[in-house]
Amino acid sequence: MAGDTQLLRTSLYDLHLELGAKMVPFAGWEMPVQYPMGVLKEHLHCRAAAGLFDVSHMGQVILPEGAVGALESLVPVDIAGLAEGRQRYAMFTDAGGGILDDLMVAKKPGHLFLVVNAACAPQDIAHLRAHIEGVEVITDRALLALQGPGAEAALGALVPGAAAMRFMDVAEFDWQGAALWVSRSGYTGEDGYEISVPAGVAVAFARALLADPGVAPIGLGARDSLRLEAGLCLYGHDIDTTTTPIEADLAWAIQKRRRTGGAAEGGFPGAARILAELAQGPARKRMGLRPEGRAPMREGVEIFADARGGEPIGRVTSGGFGPSIEAPMAMAYLPAALKPGDTVYGEVRGKRLPAVIAPMPFHPHAYKR
Amino acid sequence: MSDLKFTEEHEWLRVEGDLVVVGITEHASEALGDVVFVELPEPETVVAKGDEISVIESVKAASDILAPVDGEIVEVNGKLADNPALVNEDPMGAAWFFKMKVEDMSQLDAFMSEDDYKDFIG
């Protein structure tokens, strides 16, 4: 992306402007960071009713059905065991056990459907093409996320079949002659859907959802505070090539079949380190922090064991204020021996402020399982 | 009271006798977004122009408030600690940040009038 100053626009760009969005550069795209409602109210609206997010900047990729084995050579996840009509969280690992990107993998009739992060998409696609024949990159579809307790009613009014889906189900529906690729998932901790829609009808479809009085457009600002409250990792911040899935507390995403003793044990990049960490435990782990008081501890804040002296024991990778928990929250990599309830200190503007290690999510998930 | 002065750092100053009341402008509060935390200076602190004496944290980022002039902090607005959202609700009024005792009021002469500030923010 070096030297490339031309920002890409999604098919909803004009609609964002019409809705009064403030647009910012994000991962090479011009994206809405907030609408007139503002980050705080957008966040609360999504938890109370429903929010519509444009996530068309994310990469949509199709792999042939026969690529299951090849994909398993890139991710520590059981893809063969993924039932048709289901989706799984996965990550591309590197030889050192670090994370190249995190992604969603859906098993659909005759193919696999992947959604990858915008900033990583070019590298991910090259990586896939180096190992898999027939990688198809989807460029003629928008991707929307509809999240919140009102999502089912709002989407169900347009495509009745969506209401019967469970968390991580995937299905296709017809909407006015257009094929919608729907998953019951998202990245806010709320119940909801991600919907891939042909670019040509994306605005009409978004307007149809926004016609529901409960649905408001939500920008990247609130998307970040929602996912942080939900304890979900943001690639490039909470996970990257310097963190393994085990350090990142993502061991739940590695099914038994890929673990030591499993039928398809290892066989993914960095397996030696990742499986060793699974067995012995990692030296450090991603943990939640609840700073005392109201001052947020943002990304980069160094964490210390004591109120004074000593070397840093970790660093905040994401931090901010949680509108639903009405308190600051953060994630940091800390020595694995620490446990919820322990107090550590974050250095904010030269002052060491106490923070308690807290279980995540900070705000409970509301997935429809 | 129309006798407000404005700094390029988007602070407003209002003279009350030998005190100067300082807050942030409506433009600044809108740009910051929802304010979630305000750290105020200690009363009786002697400050120099440009000192970082206060911090505003919004949902987006942290911003420093600089001492606009030389002087002494004599009072801070305790309401902001309990209700930081006041900065968004009434930035030019109830959400003043601190009051300074200023020996040399001529320091204010260089600041913008309300009209000049409106031009400044375009």
Side-chain angles (χ1 to χ4, degrees):
Chain A
M1 221 190 308
D4 184 2
T5 51
Q6 186 65 48
L7 293 171
L8 300 165
R9 291 177 176 177
T10 75
S11 19
L12 298 181
Y13 178 83
D14 289 338
L15 179 60
H16 296 317
L17 295 188
E18 182 188 317
L19 293 168
K22 185 178 163 199
M23 307 297 287
V24 297
F26 181 83
W29 294 76
E30 206 170 349
M31 298 301 291
V33 67
Q34 66 172 82
Y35 297 86
M37 192 185 272
V39 176
L40 193 91
K41 290 194 183 77
E42 288 173 28
H43 176 117
L44 296 172
H45 183 91
C46 181
R47 294 243 188 271
L52 182 66
F53 305 72
D54 181 9
V55 289
S56 305
H57 57 311
M58 299 185 83
Q60 303 181 57
V61 180
I62 284 180
L63 305 183
E65 194 166 29
V68 167
L71 183 59
E72 284 199 342
S73 75
L74 305 179
V75 301
V77 175
D78 180 7
I79 305 295
L82 184 58
E84 193 171 293
R86 295 287 296 164
Q87 175 175 275
R88 233 164 222 181
Y89 178 73
M91 65 285 296
F92 294 119
T93 50
D94 67 16
I99 301 173
L100 293 167
D101 194 10
D102 61 342
L103 68 152
M104 287 292 184
V105 181
K107 178 82 162 52
K108 298 181 66 179
H111 67 270
L112 298 169
F113 177 59
L114 277 50
V115 177
V116 303
N117 280 304
C120 301
Q123 304 92 288
D124 289 345
I125 290 158
H127 186 54
L128 286 165
R129 286 193 164 137
H131 296 89
I132 297 170
E133 292 284 322
V135 174
E136 185 191 346
V137 179
I138 305 296
T139 54
D140 58 356
R141 281 181 166 264
L143 190 65
L144 304 180
L146 181 68
Q147 301 280 293
E152 182 182 281
L155 184 60
L158 304 183
V159 281
M165 298 172 75
R166 314 292 299 183
F167 182 59
M168 292 296 222
D169 278 353
V170 293
E172 288 199 19
F173 297 101
D174 176 272
W175 179 72
Q176 299 189 351
L180 306 181
W181 303 348
V182 180
S183 72
R184 192 151 197 168
S185 64
Y187 221 59
T188 60
E190 294 300 318
D191 177 32
Y193 303 87
E194 290 196 354
I195 308 141
S196 173
V197 50
V201 299
V203 169
F205 180 68
R207 284 191 198 281
L209 290 171
L210 289 167
D212 182 315
V215 178
I218 312 289
L220 291 177
R223 183 169 168 83
D224 192 50
S225 54
L226 287 159
R227 70 91 199 164
L228 182 51
E229 272 187 349
L232 301 170
C233 292
L234 179 61
Y235 191 82
H237 300 262
D238 309 305
I239 48 175
D240 58 27
T241 53
T242 70
T243 63
T244 70
I246 311 306
E247 290 175 327
D249 205 14
L250 299 173
W252 57 267
I254 305 176
Q255 289 78 18
K256 216 178 246 179
R257 189 171 152 272
R258 306 303 306 274
R259 298 185 179 199
T260 304
E265 166 184 336
F268 51 85
R273 177 170 177 193
I274 291 168
L275 294 182
E277 281 185 356
L278 250 183
Q280 292 141 29
R284 58 171 196 155
K285 212 166 179 178
R286 180 176 62 94
M287 295 182 192
L289 288 178
R290 292 286 298 259
E292 289 178 12
R294 284 185 69 96
M297 292 181 185
R298 297 188 190 270
E299 182 173 0
V301 164
E302 289 190 312
I303 304 297
F304 295 82
D306 298 302
R308 54 185 62 79
E311 293 297 312
I313 57 169
R315 197 179 62 81
V316 170
T317 53
S318 279
F321 189 84
S324 299
I325 62 172
E326 295 184 75
M329 60 186 167
M331 291 183 195
Y333 281 85
L334 294 171
L338 290 169
K339 55 190 186 307
D342 290 348
T343 296
V344 294
Y345 297 84
E347 197 163 282
V348 180
R349 295 181 283 274
K351 276 184 262 180
R352 293 216 187 154
L353 306 176
V356 176
I357 294 172
M360 289 189 284
F362 299 109
H363 181 85
H365 292 162
Y367 303 140
K368 190 171 171 187
R369 293 186 189 275
Chain B
M1 199 62 115
S2 63
D3 197 21
L4 284 172
K5 291 285 191 179
F6 294 84
T7 74
E8 293 187 2
E9 283 74 38
H10 307 286
E11 291 159 290
W12 56 259
L13 291 77
R14 191 179 68 227
V15 177
E16 275 183 8
D18 63 344
L19 299 182
V20 174
V21 188
V22 180
I24 67 162
T25 65
E26 189 160 351
H27 172 77
S29 86
E30 281 170 11
L32 283 169
D34 304 294
V35 174
V36 296
F37 172 73
V38 176
E39 187 178 288
L40 293 163
E42 291 289 325
E44 294 175 32
T45 311
V46 175
V47 299
K49 178 179 175 162
D51 286 356
E52 295 169 2
I53 56 172
S54 220
V55 176
I56 310 176
E57 296 259 10
S58 75
V59 285
K60 296 177 201 164
S63 310
D64 292 311
I65 298 291
L66 310 181
V69 290
D70 298 342
E72 182 186 350
I73 305 293
V74 292
E75 192 182 341
V76 300
N77 187 354
K79 281 186 199 158
L80 299 185
D82 301 329
N83 183 16
L86 203 55
V87 177
N88 299 110
E89 289 157 17
D90 191 10
M92 306 293 291
W96 58 275
F97 275 59
F98 46 80
K99 296 182 181 179
M100 298 177 72
K101 188 168 185 181
V102 177
E103 296 280 329
D104 177 9
M105 286 289 185
S106 74
Q107 295 181 84
L108 275 65
D109 295 347
F111 295 133
M112 290 176 272
S113 67
E114 190 154 9
D115 285 346
D116 291 343
Y117 180 70
K118 279 180 183 155
D119 290 342
F120 175 70
I121 59 177

